Amino acid sequence: MSLAEIQYPETEDDVARVVRAANAAGLPIEIRGGGTRTGLGRPSQTASVLSLARLTGITNYDPSELVMAARAGTPLAEIEAALDANNQMLTFEPMDHRHLLGARGEPTIGGVFAGNISGPRRIQAGAARDNLLGVRFVNGSGEIVKSGGRVMKNVTGLDLVKLLAGSWGTLGVLCEVIFKVLPRPETAVTIAVSGLNDAEAAEAMAAAMAMSVEVSGAAHLPLSVAYKFGDTLKGETATVLRLEGLTPSVEVRTERLIAEMRRRGAVSVLDAGATRELWRDIRDVMPFAAQSTKPVWRVSVAPSAGHQLVAALRLKTGVDAFYDWQGGLVWLQMEADCEADLVRQYIKALGGGHATLVRADAATRSAVPVFEPQPKALDALSRRIKDQFDPNGILNPGRMTASM
């Protein structure tokens, strides 16, 4: 099979043939789903594209078993529509990067798992990879590999499943994914505490998470971003805490949480509709979506260290920020340079973590490590894994690191 600029395989066997042809010719290929995250990671170093846009369809879904299987190119909107019809959902609340990256196209379920894309509910439901049960993929030699299964009891190959999630197409071309789903909560409310500074908010979120009220979202929105949520937050600094579940349970838990938070600041309650809109915008980093030329970092640190990182950076450079995951996920928007060395220096000084440069121009993404550099031992292990999965290095070469 000759390699065209863009190829659109329609079956798993087609994918394998394309990869085998590329491997035989020694020609690297870019693996693409809906194309909504091509601006995340190092710029493509390939002339050919393998698009999964035609490898679509839900292949197995029994709502009573809370498991779904779908081909990798299936639009996420199609997955969510099928789940909505059965009052179910993806618990890990995957982010839509289109607003932040100024991208078009449709996010795909394969892209969600290839990037391990998770949202605010991760603090309760785990990451995307924690909900992935099985995969079918084509490795760099063009071989079809299956790992995992359709039921939780089947743990065969589960580590391999976890390995593919977050590999960004560098280890294999995902063809089918099998994943958990759960019932959608009957209702949801958000308790918003106004007037707290970043350190006070970190303490308030930690206190809320320590209570037995099952908080499913905990974020802090400083004044610089709170006003971008319009009338929802009335332009005030807001520490927001989400509760979900059956209505009687949510009502009882809301009263308990309000009683605790009133000791810290003024409290207001957002209903289910306002809650849905607020957390969608937090999930999609909408406060930074309009400034499409400014670099944006996604930083994961200990929840108690997030506000310290931002305070340290503000002494050295221009930066705006807000916090998710109880403060453990910090979204940073830099005013000018991405300041990669400074950001990672302070993360290390505060006990460690990792930073991903989610948005920057192509020249910057080529010049600085987009993903967190690995320690030597882990980097050597990653190279050995890459060599086993993709011995000739033809799958998304350089997407994650310049050396691979």
Side-chain angles (χ1 to χ4, degrees):
M1 178 180 291
S2 62
L3 289 175
E5 184 178 352
I6 302 181
Q7 294 203 63
Y8 296 92
E10 298 183 4
T11 68
E12 183 179 73
D13 288 336
D14 290 344
V15 173
R17 281 193 290 271
V18 171
V19 174
R20 282 197 297 270
N23 186 53
L27 296 176
I29 48 177
E30 176 188 346
I31 313 305
R32 184 181 298 173
T36 63
R37 299 183 179 92
T38 55
L40 202 169
R42 300 184 71 254
S44 173
Q45 301 177 28
T46 70
S48 298
V49 175
L50 190 163
S51 171
L52 298 171
R54 296 177 186 169
L55 191 69
T56 62
I58 295 170
T59 55
N60 186 280
Y61 178 37
D62 184 346
S64 66
E65 293 188 357
L66 301 177
V67 173
M68 178 181 281
R71 297 185 182 93
T74 307
L76 184 60
E78 182 178 331
I79 300 292
E80 292 179 331
L83 293 174
D84 284 342
N86 291 280
N87 201 30
Q88 294 180 344
M89 66 176 184
L90 296 171
T91 59
F92 53 92
E93 210 169 0
M95 174 184 176
D96 184 342
H97 284 81
R98 285 178 292 185
H99 299 288
L100 188 64
L101 300 180
R104 297 181 179 179
E106 287 291 330
T108 64
I109 191 64
V112 165
F113 285 111
N116 191 33
I117 308 300
S118 312
R121 203 180 286 108
R122 180 179 178 177
I123 60 173
Q124 183 186 67
R129 63 162 53 94
D130 300 312
N131 293 267
L132 186 61
L133 302 177
V135 294
R136 291 181 67 93
F137 67 96
V138 174
N139 65 16
S141 299
E143 300 165 331
I144 297 172
V145 182
K146 176 187 175 183
S147 181
R150 283 188 167 85
V151 294
M152 284 297 290
K153 292 180 182 178
N154 184 350
V155 297
T156 303
L158 203 57
D159 288 344
L160 183 57
V161 170
K162 296 289 194 292
L163 194 63
L164 267 289
S167 64
W168 292 93
T170 60
L171 299 180
V173 185
L174 284 176
C175 295
E176 184 182 47
V177 289
I178 307 161
F179 48 93
K180 294 187 293 182
V181 301
L182 281 179
R184 185 177 299 281
E186 182 178 273
T187 191
V189 300
T190 296
I191 289 82
V193 188
S194 60
L196 305 185
N197 62 34
D198 290 6
E200 292 168 338
E203 293 179 1
M205 289 188 289
M209 295 301 297
M211 296 175 66
S212 57
V213 294
E214 300 178 29
V215 173
S216 67
H220 177 61
L221 310 170
L223 189 61
S224 59
V225 300
Y227 80 93
K228 297 179 181 179
F229 290 89
D231 293 338
T232 302
L233 300 177
K234 300 178 181 179
E236 298 178 343
T237 296
T239 306
V240 291
L241 305 163
R242 181 175 60 186
L243 302 178
E244 300 175 300
L246 297 173
T247 300
S249 171
V250 170
E251 289 175 349
V252 171
R253 288 183 282 137
T254 298
E255 290 180 4
R256 291 183 56 199
L257 189 54
I258 288 175
E260 171 63 27
M261 291 300 112
R262 275 182 175 156
R263 299 167 45 205
R264 302 172 183 274
V267 174
S268 59
V269 180
L270 307 182
D271 64 17
T275 291
R276 184 171 53 254
E277 293 179 7
L278 172 68
W279 289 95
R280 179 195 61 209
D281 289 349
I282 292 172
R283 179 198 73 182
D284 295 344
V285 197
M286 291 302 290
F288 298 156
Q291 303 295 329
S292 59
T293 61
K294 294 183 178 180
V296 170
W297 289 94
R298 180 185 184 276
V299 177
S300 181
V301 291
S304 60
H307 68 92
Q308 298 178 58
L309 171 67
V310 174
L313 287 170
R314 282 175 172 159
L315 294 176
K316 295 288 187 177
T317 189
V319 60
D320 199 1
F322 73 93
Y323 310 83
D324 198 357
W325 299 356
Q326 191 199 325
L329 173 60
V330 187
W331 288 100
L332 302 173
Q333 179 174 265
M334 316 305 290
E335 286 300 310
D337 189 84
C338 75
E339 302 284 4
D341 291 341
L342 188 66
V343 169
R344 289 186 165 123
Q345 172 191 333
Y346 284 147
I347 290 173
K348 183 177 181 180
L350 288 168
H354 56 83
T356 301
L357 185 59
V358 174
R359 185 176 72 194
D361 58 50
T364 300
R365 289 185 287 116
S366 295
V368 306
V370 172
F371 295 94
E372 186 69 23
Q374 297 177 328
K376 288 184 178 180
L378 188 55
D379 181 63
L381 175 61
S382 297
R383 289 172 184 273
R384 290 198 296 273
I385 292 171
K386 174 68 171 176
D387 288 344
Q388 289 183 4
F389 280 77
D390 182 22
N392 289 328
I394 66 164
L395 302 179
N396 278 356
R399 175 74 186 269
M400 298 189 73
T401 64
S403 60
M404 289 195 290

